[in-house]
Amino acid sequence: MATRVSPMPLVAANWKMNPNDAGDALDLVRGVLSVARGHADRVEVAIFPPFPWLLGVSEVIAESGVKLGAQDCFWELSGAYTGEVSPAMLKGWCEWVITGHSERRIYLGETDEMVAKKTASALGSELSVIMCVGELADHYDAGTSDQVVEAQVRAGLANCSADDSARLVIAYEPVWAIGTGKSADAEHAYKTMRLIRRVVGELIGAGAARKVRILYGGSVNSGNVESYVELPLCDGVLVGSASLDAAEFAHIVKVTAEVYGHR
Ligand code: 13P
């Protein structure tokens, strides 16, 4: 087996707007802690709880090696922006933030331009960023996935440079695969991740692009995770529903550690 040259794989848990109870949030993170800690030398694990649970979760994971992230941020660092949370507020106790998730694009009307501003602002505040891209079912059916994903990557990285590469992750999440149980087949995921890698290379240079990690997301579970993480271009997974089940998420971390340990 060839030695893996790309950075450590990332397994990220996007809890979305769950759970409703603070105690349940802490139980959930405690449930994945021992497995995540046991594989910390081979897999980076990052948890993205809703804003109100960030502080409590940060206390549980302190010193464990498990990373914390927010599911969104605003692009300005402070000011009269009611309801928004700035990268400057997250910095210090969150290492990560997600930008451009399709649920924000769809339900809150986030545009590529907004995603670009958020991504650049978070990177400028020394946060690491998972920027999400992915086509709708209509695009997939029409065979235009590549054009849509390429446009999202180009627009979203409009304000980024090679200096950001080590803290930049792009998650390919086909919208039709999110929360549907209809995960993308590995070949489609591979081809799209290859396209993303090429486009990132054109934007920030091939050398820097190699440091950018590319994840797959969309109905990932313990049964299908191997088919993604064994893809040569895949640097990990962004997990939604399955991350709300501690045993299931721990299994995803374990499988990822095993696959990358053999590369
Ligand atoms: P599911 O794993 O529930 O499909 O969600 C994926 C996702 O949107 C992660 O950001």
Side-chain angles (χ1 to χ4, degrees):
M1 288 277 178
T3 311
R4 184 170 173 75
V5 287
S6 57
M8 198 185 259
L10 174 65
V11 175
N14 177 9
W15 290 359
K16 307 191 180 182
M17 202 170 68
N18 300 290
N20 277 339
D21 180 82
D24 290 345
L26 301 185
D27 286 347
L28 180 55
V29 72
R30 282 190 199 104
V32 298
L33 213 52
S34 63
V35 172
R37 208 189 259 134
H39 295 95
D41 56 333
R42 277 187 284 167
V43 180
E44 183 174 357
V45 174
I47 313 273
F48 294 79
F51 286 121
W53 310 151
L54 283 172
L55 181 56
V57 171
S58 79
E59 287 164 1
V60 174
I61 64 176
E63 317 287 327
S64 70
V66 172
K67 312 284 175 58
L68 185 67
Q71 296 172 15
D72 181 45
C73 67
F74 195 55
W75 53 81
E76 296 293 347
L77 299 184
S78 65
Y81 303 103
T82 301
E84 292 300 326
V85 174
S86 81
M89 292 168 183
L90 298 173
K91 176 77 195 128
W93 47 298
C94 276
E95 189 165 321
W96 286 92
V97 67
I98 293 173
T99 60
H101 194 280
S102 59
E103 285 148 13
R104 298 196 62 84
R105 294 178 190 257
I106 292 167
Y107 299 122
L108 294 149
E110 279 197 10
T111 61
D112 283 338
E113 195 193 358
M114 290 157 84
V115 175
K117 289 204 279 186
K118 289 180 177 207
T119 302
S121 179
L123 289 166
S125 296
E126 289 172 13
L127 292 166
S128 295
V129 174
I130 300 181
M131 187 182 86
C132 301
V133 297
E135 79 280 9
L136 301 171
D138 286 353
H139 303 132
Y140 181 71
D141 293 341
T144 57
S145 305
D146 282 5
Q147 289 93 311
V148 171
V149 170
E150 176 163 355
Q152 287 176 341
V153 173
R154 287 189 184 279
L157 298 186
N159 310 320
C160 296
S161 74
D163 296 343
D164 300 317
S165 56
R167 284 184 293 111
L168 178 63
V169 172
I170 298 183
Y172 169 53
E173 297 204 305
V175 178
W176 48 268
I178 293 179
T180 58
K182 215 172 96 185
S183 56
D185 70 64
E187 198 190 334
H188 175 75
Y190 174 76
K191 283 190 181 152
T192 313
M193 288 191 280
R194 192 177 56 189
L195 166 87
I196 293 170
R197 175 84 59 204
R198 176 179 62 72
V199 174
V200 175
E202 285 171 19
L203 292 171
I204 63 170
R210 269 196 283 279
K211 293 187 210 151
V212 175
R213 286 181 284 182
I214 301 179
L215 312 183
Y216 170 78
S219 295
V220 172
N221 58 40
S222 62
N224 63 23
V225 62
E226 187 169 355
S227 67
Y228 300 112
V229 293
E230 70 184 9
L231 297 171
L233 277 176
C234 180
D235 297 303
V237 283
L238 178 53
V239 187
S241 348
S243 72
L244 297 173
D245 177 328
E248 177 72 0
F249 185 70
H251 201 88
I252 290 170
V253 172
K254 200 162 155 277
V255 170
T256 305
E258 280 163 11
V259 170
Y260 284 84
H262 283 103
R263 282 194 177 178

